[in-house]
Amino acid sequence: MTPVQREARTFLSQFHRRPFTVSDLEKALQEQGFSLVEYSRISNGKEVTTLLTSLRLFDYAARQSAFTYQDPHLRIVFMQENLSQQEQIILLSHELGHILCRHLDRSPATGPGSSVLQEQEANEFASILLRYNRRCRPRRIALWGGIGIAVAAALVVLILCIFPASSSQTVYLTESGRCYHRQDCQYVIGKDNTVTVTEQQAKDSGYDACTWCFDHSSS
Ligand SMILES: [Zn+2]
Ligand SMILES: [Zn+2]
């Protein structure tokens, strides 16, 4: 078992087969000494603006939907406001992965400050958590049908934190589809609102391989 898998199992062991929620993630962050601050990418109140300015994190906030900051006095997870529960779960699971894998010991902030390996670890941690939550939900199809677009949106923001892309194959999601595609698929070409994620993340989020492009172009 890798250290990432061990951290994920330890986190999940407290839930005894019930799905975990946003507040469970918040509690886990608090146990590590982090508080959650929500921000807007458009305009913020005075307090948040002052905080972002003094920590020189304005660019982070403008580009990312979530990131974590740590210095000797402050430990904060920043997250964009007005996101769905599922989007918050995806983002906070990823940031919790950075924290529990001790990435903040080496750089003050996640996102542009993280290495490729650290992003892969945080993604792996989040993937294990998301798979666990999906297994806990017996009526997965109905649920995912209803929030499919929200999940696609969440994946858009998630990949903003994955920089550069992790090693596994990149696949494409379309706004309304339930499948993931190759770059040259007829359903992807010419569409400018597609989302790229790794194949593993697409699978973990409930997408299936498109039969058209995966059957036709495998040689
Ligand atoms: Zn990250
Ligand atoms: Zn396809």
Side-chain angles (χ1 to χ4, degrees):
M1 203 188 290
T2 66
V4 177
Q5 290 166 340
R6 196 159 48 236
E7 292 295 345
R9 299 261 168 102
T10 307
F11 171 78
L12 292 172
S13 65
Q14 61 186 304
F15 301 113
H16 306 289
R17 297 191 183 186
R18 77 160 167 88
F20 64 87
T21 62
V22 172
S23 36
D24 292 321
L25 287 166
E26 266 189 74
K27 209 173 119 226
L29 294 172
Q30 279 160 10
E31 281 166 8
Q32 299 297 317
F34 287 82
S35 49
L36 184 64
V37 171
E38 296 195 31
Y39 63 90
S40 160
R41 284 168 102 166
I42 302 156
S43 83
N44 286 294
K46 202 169 153 222
E47 256 174 70
V48 175
T49 305
T50 308
L51 188 61
L52 289 172
T53 310
S54 64
L55 300 176
R56 297 164 196 259
L57 293 172
F58 235 100
D59 284 353
Y60 277 63
R63 275 184 300 176
Q64 307 206 129
S65 293
F67 58 94
T68 301
Y69 176 84
Q70 174 176 330
D71 70 18
H73 311 288
L74 276 178
R75 290 179 169 204
I76 302 174
V77 175
F78 289 91
M79 182 171 65
Q80 196 183 330
E81 63 187 12
N82 298 327
L83 298 176
S84 72
Q85 293 289 304
Q86 183 65 15
E87 287 168 328
Q88 293 182 43
I89 284 178
I90 292 175
L91 291 168
L92 293 180
S93 298
H94 180 94
E95 295 307 319
L96 182 64
H98 279 303
I99 291 166
L100 293 178
C101 297
R102 316 209 66 81
H103 297 163
L104 276 302
D105 293 357
R106 278 167 276 170
S107 76
T110 62
S114 305
S115 68
V116 179
L117 179 68
Q118 290 175 341
E119 289 310 327
Q120 285 172 355
E121 287 185 349
N123 283 336
E124 188 193 349
F125 180 89
S127 286
I128 296 169
L129 267 54
L130 293 168
R131 273 202 300 268
Y132 165 86
N133 253 17
R134 276 179 56 212
R135 279 203 305 271
C136 292
R137 288 175 172 151
R139 282 182 299 145
R140 173 188 136 206
I141 301 298
L143 191 68
W144 279 89
I147 58 171
I149 295 192
V151 171
L155 286 165
V156 176
V157 297
L158 182 63
I159 58 163
L160 292 176
C161 201
I162 305 161
F163 178 84
S166 67
S167 61
S168 78
Q169 186 185 188
T170 299
V171 296
Y172 291 73
L173 309 178
T174 59
E175 205 170 14
S176 55
R178 298 280 318 281
C179 297
Y180 61 86
H181 307 272
R182 292 183 196 273
Q183 188 174 16
D184 56 358
C185 178
Q186 60 169 349
Y187 296 115
V188 169
I189 290 172
K191 287 194 180 153
D192 52 10
N193 56 350
T194 55
V195 175
T196 54
V197 294
T198 65
E199 186 169 13
Q200 189 60 51
Q201 285 173 317
K203 285 179 184 166
D204 291 343
S205 304
Y207 290 83
D208 296 317
C210 162
T211 51
W212 194 87
C213 57
F214 276 85
D215 288 350
H216 282 68
S217 57
S218 54
S219 51

PDB file of all heavy atoms in Angstrom, residues 64 66 94-95 98 103 110-111 114 118-119 122-123 158 161-163, ligand 1:
ATOM      1  N   GLN A  64      -7.851  29.640 -10.030  1.00  0.00           N
ATOM      2  CA  GLN A  64      -8.177  28.316  -9.500  1.00  0.00           C
ATOM      3  C   GLN A  64      -9.473  28.340  -8.708  1.00  0.00           C
ATOM      4  O   GLN A  64      -9.883  29.363  -8.208  1.00  0.00           O
ATOM      5  CB  GLN A  64      -7.054  27.869  -8.576  1.00  0.00           C
ATOM      6  CG  GLN A  64      -5.725  27.958  -9.253  1.00  0.00           C
ATOM      7  CD  GLN A  64      -4.784  26.977  -8.627  1.00  0.00           C
ATOM      8  OE1 GLN A  64      -4.164  26.200  -9.320  1.00  0.00           O
ATOM      9  NE2 GLN A  64      -4.718  27.000  -7.322  1.00  0.00           N
ATOM     10  N   ALA A  66      -9.807  26.150  -6.115  1.00  0.00           N
ATOM     11  CA  ALA A  66      -9.431  25.842  -4.736  1.00  0.00           C
ATOM     12  C   ALA A  66      -7.917  25.720  -4.657  1.00  0.00           C
ATOM     13  O   ALA A  66      -7.269  25.299  -5.616  1.00  0.00           O
ATOM     14  CB  ALA A  66     -10.070  24.540  -4.267  1.00  0.00           C
ATOM     15  N   HIS A  94      -9.288  16.806  -2.969  1.00  0.00           N
ATOM     16  CA  HIS A  94      -7.982  17.035  -3.596  1.00  0.00           C
ATOM     17  C   HIS A  94      -7.062  17.828  -2.652  1.00  0.00           C
ATOM     18  O   HIS A  94      -5.906  17.448  -2.439  1.00  0.00           O
ATOM     19  CB  HIS A  94      -8.188  17.783  -4.916  1.00  0.00           C
ATOM     20  CG  HIS A  94      -6.929  18.077  -5.671  1.00  0.00           C
ATOM     21  ND1 HIS A  94      -6.443  17.245  -6.654  1.00  0.00           N
ATOM     22  CD2 HIS A  94      -6.055  19.111  -5.584  1.00  0.00           C
ATOM     23  CE1 HIS A  94      -5.318  17.751  -7.142  1.00  0.00           C
ATOM     24  NE2 HIS A  94      -5.053  18.891  -6.502  1.00  0.00           N
ATOM     25  N   GLU A  95      -7.581  18.896  -2.078  1.00  0.00           N
ATOM     26  CA  GLU A  95      -6.747  19.722  -1.182  1.00  0.00           C
ATOM     27  C   GLU A  95      -6.384  18.945   0.088  1.00  0.00           C
ATOM     28  O   GLU A  95      -5.261  19.042   0.577  1.00  0.00           O
ATOM     29  CB  GLU A  95      -7.467  21.037  -0.825  1.00  0.00           C
ATOM     30  CG  GLU A  95      -7.694  21.967  -2.017  1.00  0.00           C
ATOM     31  CD  GLU A  95      -6.424  22.272  -2.812  1.00  0.00           C
ATOM     32  OE1 GLU A  95      -5.361  22.486  -2.197  1.00  0.00           O
ATOM     33  OE2 GLU A  95      -6.498  22.278  -4.058  1.00  0.00           O
ATOM     34  N   HIS A  98      -3.416  16.894  -0.627  1.00  0.00           N
ATOM     35  CA  HIS A  98      -2.167  17.654  -0.526  1.00  0.00           C
ATOM     36  C   HIS A  98      -1.726  17.780   0.932  1.00  0.00           C
ATOM     37  O   HIS A  98      -0.551  17.625   1.254  1.00  0.00           O
ATOM     38  CB  HIS A  98      -2.362  19.073  -1.080  1.00  0.00           C
ATOM     39  CG  HIS A  98      -2.273  19.173  -2.583  1.00  0.00           C
ATOM     40  ND1 HIS A  98      -1.167  18.754  -3.288  1.00  0.00           N
ATOM     41  CD2 HIS A  98      -3.138  19.681  -3.498  1.00  0.00           C
ATOM     42  CE1 HIS A  98      -1.368  19.004  -4.586  1.00  0.00           C
ATOM     43  NE2 HIS A  98      -2.557  19.555  -4.734  1.00  0.00           N
ATOM     44  N   HIS A 103       2.430  17.854   1.434  1.00  0.00           N
ATOM     45  CA  HIS A 103       3.017  18.648   0.359  1.00  0.00           C
ATOM     46  C   HIS A 103       3.297  20.082   0.797  1.00  0.00           C
ATOM     47  O   HIS A 103       4.175  20.740   0.253  1.00  0.00           O
ATOM     48  CB  HIS A 103       2.081  18.675  -0.862  1.00  0.00           C
ATOM     49  CG  HIS A 103       1.867  17.323  -1.457  1.00  0.00           C
ATOM     50  ND1 HIS A 103       0.836  17.043  -2.307  1.00  0.00           N
ATOM     51  CD2 HIS A 103       2.551  16.172  -1.308  1.00  0.00           C
ATOM     52  CE1 HIS A 103       0.894  15.771  -2.678  1.00  0.00           C
ATOM     53  NE2 HIS A 103       1.915  15.222  -2.068  1.00  0.00           N
ATOM     54  N   THR A 110      -0.580  25.206  -2.680  1.00  0.00           N
ATOM     55  CA  THR A 110      -0.808  24.188  -3.711  1.00  0.00           C
ATOM     56  C   THR A 110      -1.220  24.871  -5.007  1.00  0.00           C
ATOM     57  O   THR A 110      -1.490  26.062  -5.024  1.00  0.00           O
ATOM     58  CB  THR A 110      -1.911  23.206  -3.299  1.00  0.00           C
ATOM     59  OG1 THR A 110      -3.132  23.939  -3.152  1.00  0.00           O
ATOM     60  CG2 THR A 110      -1.561  22.500  -2.004  1.00  0.00           C
ATOM     61  N   GLY A 111      -1.308  24.107  -6.078  1.00  0.00           N
ATOM     62  CA  GLY A 111      -1.660  24.693  -7.370  1.00  0.00           C
ATOM     63  C   GLY A 111      -0.383  24.915  -8.160  1.00  0.00           C
ATOM     64  O   GLY A 111       0.399  23.990  -8.340  1.00  0.00           O
ATOM     65  N   SER A 114       2.773  23.445  -6.708  1.00  0.00           N
ATOM     66  CA  SER A 114       2.931  22.007  -6.515  1.00  0.00           C
ATOM     67  C   SER A 114       3.649  21.373  -7.694  1.00  0.00           C
ATOM     68  O   SER A 114       3.540  21.830  -8.827  1.00  0.00           O
ATOM     69  CB  SER A 114       1.567  21.331  -6.367  1.00  0.00           C
ATOM     70  OG  SER A 114       0.827  21.915  -5.338  1.00  0.00           O
ATOM     71  N   GLN A 118       3.225  15.758  -6.901  1.00  0.00           N
ATOM     72  CA  GLN A 118       2.285  16.120  -5.835  1.00  0.00           C
ATOM     73  C   GLN A 118       0.857  16.181  -6.357  1.00  0.00           C
ATOM     74  O   GLN A 118      -0.077  15.748  -5.686  1.00  0.00           O
ATOM     75  CB  GLN A 118       2.692  17.471  -5.233  1.00  0.00           C
ATOM     76  CG  GLN A 118       3.976  17.378  -4.415  1.00  0.00           C
ATOM     77  CD  GLN A 118       4.451  18.726  -3.922  1.00  0.00           C
ATOM     78  OE1 GLN A 118       4.051  19.770  -4.452  1.00  0.00           O
ATOM     79  NE2 GLN A 118       5.295  18.721  -2.911  1.00  0.00           N
ATOM     80  N   GLU A 119       0.689  16.717  -7.568  1.00  0.00           N
ATOM     81  CA  GLU A 119      -0.658  16.759  -8.145  1.00  0.00           C
ATOM     82  C   GLU A 119      -1.187  15.355  -8.389  1.00  0.00           C
ATOM     83  O   GLU A 119      -2.364  15.067  -8.166  1.00  0.00           O
ATOM     84  CB  GLU A 119      -0.674  17.568  -9.447  1.00  0.00           C
ATOM     85  CG  GLU A 119      -0.494  19.059  -9.263  1.00  0.00           C
ATOM     86  CD  GLU A 119      -1.421  19.657  -8.211  1.00  0.00           C
ATOM     87  OE1 GLU A 119      -2.557  19.178  -8.058  1.00  0.00           O
ATOM     88  OE2 GLU A 119      -0.988  20.572  -7.508  1.00  0.00           O
ATOM     89  N   ALA A 122      -2.272  13.992  -5.008  1.00  0.00           N
ATOM     90  CA  ALA A 122      -3.534  14.586  -4.572  1.00  0.00           C
ATOM     91  C   ALA A 122      -4.697  14.047  -5.402  1.00  0.00           C
ATOM     92  O   ALA A 122      -5.786  13.787  -4.876  1.00  0.00           O
ATOM     93  CB  ALA A 122      -3.465  16.111  -4.667  1.00  0.00           C
ATOM     94  N   ASN A 123      -4.469  13.852  -6.690  1.00  0.00           N
ATOM     95  CA  ASN A 123      -5.514  13.281  -7.548  1.00  0.00           C
ATOM     96  C   ASN A 123      -5.818  11.845  -7.163  1.00  0.00           C
ATOM     97  O   ASN A 123      -6.980  11.426  -7.161  1.00  0.00           O
ATOM     98  CB  ASN A 123      -5.075  13.307  -9.019  1.00  0.00           C
ATOM     99  CG  ASN A 123      -5.208  14.688  -9.616  1.00  0.00           C
ATOM    100  OD1 ASN A 123      -6.003  15.489  -9.141  1.00  0.00           O
ATOM    101  ND2 ASN A 123      -4.432  14.966 -10.635  1.00  0.00           N
ATOM    102  N   LEU A 158     -11.362  21.171 -11.454  1.00  0.00           N
ATOM    103  CA  LEU A 158     -10.372  20.260 -10.882  1.00  0.00           C
ATOM    104  C   LEU A 158      -9.100  20.256 -11.718  1.00  0.00           C
ATOM    105  O   LEU A 158      -7.996  20.308 -11.183  1.00  0.00           O
ATOM    106  CB  LEU A 158     -10.949  18.842 -10.798  1.00  0.00           C
ATOM    107  CG  LEU A 158     -10.037  17.791 -10.183  1.00  0.00           C
ATOM    108  CD1 LEU A 158      -9.724  18.119  -8.726  1.00  0.00           C
ATOM    109  CD2 LEU A 158     -10.685  16.412 -10.250  1.00  0.00           C
ATOM    110  N   CYS A 161      -6.244  22.698 -11.290  1.00  0.00           N
ATOM    111  CA  CYS A 161      -5.266  22.454 -10.238  1.00  0.00           C
ATOM    112  C   CYS A 161      -4.274  21.370 -10.660  1.00  0.00           C
ATOM    113  O   CYS A 161      -3.231  21.207 -10.067  1.00  0.00           O
ATOM    114  CB  CYS A 161      -5.987  22.063  -8.955  1.00  0.00           C
ATOM    115  SG  CYS A 161      -5.013  22.314  -7.483  1.00  0.00           S
ATOM    116  N   ILE A 162      -4.607  20.623 -11.695  1.00  0.00           N
ATOM    117  CA  ILE A 162      -3.706  19.585 -12.183  1.00  0.00           C
ATOM    118  C   ILE A 162      -2.824  20.215 -13.234  1.00  0.00           C
ATOM    119  O   ILE A 162      -3.271  20.488 -14.332  1.00  0.00           O
ATOM    120  CB  ILE A 162      -4.492  18.440 -12.848  1.00  0.00           C
ATOM    121  CG1 ILE A 162      -5.534  17.893 -11.899  1.00  0.00           C
ATOM    122  CG2 ILE A 162      -3.541  17.326 -13.272  1.00  0.00           C
ATOM    123  CD1 ILE A 162      -6.594  17.120 -12.639  1.00  0.00           C
ATOM    124  N   PHE A 163      -1.592  20.447 -12.906  1.00  0.00           N
ATOM    125  CA  PHE A 163      -0.799  21.270 -13.791  1.00  0.00           C
ATOM    126  C   PHE A 163       0.641  20.862 -13.665  1.00  0.00           C
ATOM    127  O   PHE A 163       1.234  21.024 -12.619  1.00  0.00           O
ATOM    128  CB  PHE A 163      -0.967  22.739 -13.382  1.00  0.00           C
ATOM    129  CG  PHE A 163      -0.157  23.685 -14.206  1.00  0.00           C
ATOM    130  CD1 PHE A 163      -0.643  24.134 -15.409  1.00  0.00           C
ATOM    131  CD2 PHE A 163       1.096  24.107 -13.752  1.00  0.00           C
ATOM    132  CE1 PHE A 163       0.111  25.020 -16.163  1.00  0.00           C
ATOM    133  CE2 PHE A 163       1.840  24.988 -14.493  1.00  0.00           C
ATOM    134  CZ  PHE A 163       1.353  25.441 -15.704  1.00  0.00           C
TER     135      PHE A 163
HETATM  136 ZN    ZN B   1      -3.513  20.281  -6.541  1.00  0.00          ZN
END
